[in-house]
Amino acid sequence: MESFKHIGVIGRIGSVKVVETLRRLKSYLVANDYQVILEADTASMLPGHGLQVASKKLIGEICDLAIVVGGDGSLLGAARDLSKSSIPILGVNRGRLGFLTDISPDDLEERLSRVLEGEYVEEKRFLLDAHVKRNGEPMGYGTALNDIVLHPGRSTRMIGFDLYIEGQFVYSQRSDGLIVSTPTGSTAYALSAGGPIMHPRLDAIVLVPMFPHTLSSRPIVVDGGSEIKLVIDEANENWPQVSCDGQQELACAPGDSISIAKKPFRLNLIHPSDHNFYATCREKLGWASTIAAS
């Protein structure tokens, strides 16, 4: 297993609980002779820290490991910024569900020490790129670890669009939009819209319609290497939007096209060695944890 010496720390802004955990994390790492580099915004929450400060990009270049303290949203943001580097990312949960940030603050030092000693499992998660074009000209670009979503924005009207997969026409649809999700995102927004749960190791993409104007429209699972294209109907009266992980918005107009494909770089996500995807689903989604007696 890889040895970690230079550790970048990224925290969610505006949370007292995150600050408390950051202080504990800093104290533990410094006491154990790790070289700690704080992300610039994170450093502002720890006045008098006395540590090196760097941008997320620089952390990806000079660190052996990045630790993200926050919720899954914090890790999603860090993943997009660090995906071009091969740096592993470890999440400490200070959010709600914590599908990605799976170290609990309650036993932070104990769990972290095991990971830093090499007791961890590693996963490669792929991301998606979205390119918006108007009359063939690029208008916007975004990246997502969870999902790319075409939606009406502030309007309550349905969107008309055409779907193409690998250049082949699939259907024309009127709905509240479409969720294009990775396996990582299959337990997030896509799940709430009726999509399937996909194991993180699958090389697949799921397309989940949002309140389609037909009963026969169902989620479609396609190969992870597929190129997906959405063409917004020119007859639309509203200007829809494309959302990347719910954190980055791209404005669209009637007639625009959105091309979605796998990003060439993968996120290197690590977990404690006892990590179990199905156990996480049981805990976070409220699945039954015992087998009823027959």
Side-chain angles (χ1 to χ4, degrees):
M1 289 290 184
E2 185 174 351
S3 175
F4 305 122
K5 276 306 194 181
H6 297 80
I7 300 177
V9 176
I10 302 168
R12 189 182 75 210
I13 304 298
S15 168
V16 174
K17 291 183 177 180
V18 167
V19 173
E20 292 172 355
T21 303
L22 285 171
R23 288 178 178 146
R24 284 176 57 194
L25 178 61
K26 175 209 163 192
S27 297
Y28 173 82
L29 294 175
V30 171
N32 287 274
D33 298 322
Y34 291 99
Q35 182 68 39
V36 182
I37 297 93
L38 294 179
E39 184 269 334
D41 290 334
T42 306
S44 68
M45 298 189 290
L46 298 172
H49 54 77
L51 300 173
Q52 182 180 347
V53 177
S55 65
K56 288 180 185 176
K57 180 181 179 182
L58 186 57
I59 284 176
E61 295 173 356
I62 66 176
C63 291
D64 310 311
L65 171 70
I67 300 177
V68 178
V69 180
D72 286 344
S74 302
L75 197 141
L76 290 173
R80 293 195 302 272
D81 291 325
L82 297 173
S83 62
K84 288 186 179 180
S85 67
S86 59
I87 181 172
I89 299 180
L90 175 69
V92 177
N93 186 27
R94 270 305 188 180
R96 291 185 294 273
L97 279 178
F99 264 97
L100 301 174
T101 51
D102 49 8
I103 287 188
S104 169
D106 297 335
D107 52 4
L108 172 65
E109 291 82 0
E110 177 186 353
R111 302 276 279 172
L112 183 59
S113 66
R114 294 178 183 175
V115 170
L116 296 177
E117 289 168 3
E119 296 181 29
Y120 62 87
V121 292
E122 191 172 351
E123 290 181 337
K124 298 288 187 180
R125 305 283 187 99
F126 72 84
L127 296 89
L128 295 174
D129 282 336
H131 294 266
V132 178
K133 291 186 178 181
R134 186 170 302 157
N135 299 320
E137 296 296 323
M139 299 300 296
Y141 162 78
T143 296
L145 175 61
N146 265 358
D147 47 47
I148 293 171
V149 182
L150 174 67
H151 63 95
R154 296 183 179 180
S155 172
T156 57
R157 295 188 176 184
M158 286 187 169
I159 306 168
F161 61 90
D162 295 335
L163 169 65
Y164 296 83
I165 299 175
E166 289 293 287
Q168 297 182 352
F169 175 70
V170 180
Y171 55 56
S172 294
Q173 184 178 102
R174 286 192 61 78
S175 66
D176 282 0
L178 186 73
I179 303 169
V180 181
S181 172
T182 66
T184 301
S186 70
T187 52
Y189 193 22
L191 179 62
S192 68
I197 293 175
M198 297 193 293
H199 193 281
R201 287 200 297 266
L202 282 176
D203 185 12
I205 297 170
V206 63
L207 293 82
V208 185
M210 300 164 61
F211 299 103
H213 203 212
T214 171
L215 294 176
S216 61
S217 187
R218 293 291 183 267
I220 301 174
V221 179
V222 299
D223 182 82
S226 300
E227 181 178 351
I228 297 158
K229 184 177 181 180
L230 307 174
V231 180
I232 302 171
D233 193 334
E234 292 185 354
N236 279 306
E237 296 182 6
N238 59 314
W239 286 39
Q241 293 181 334
V242 169
S243 173
C244 300
D245 283 342
Q247 298 177 345
Q248 182 181 12
E249 297 288 341
L250 307 174
C252 300
D256 284 359
S257 66
I258 304 105
S259 296
I260 300 170
K262 185 189 293 184
K263 196 175 185 67
F265 311 104
R266 287 176 176 255
L267 170 67
N268 188 1
L269 186 65
I270 64 175
H271 306 278
S273 57
D274 60 353
H275 172 74
N276 181 307
F277 173 71
Y278 302 110
T280 301
C281 288
R282 285 197 302 273
E283 177 188 355
K284 307 301 181 182
L285 300 178
W287 291 357
S289 58
T290 57
I291 301 174
S294 58

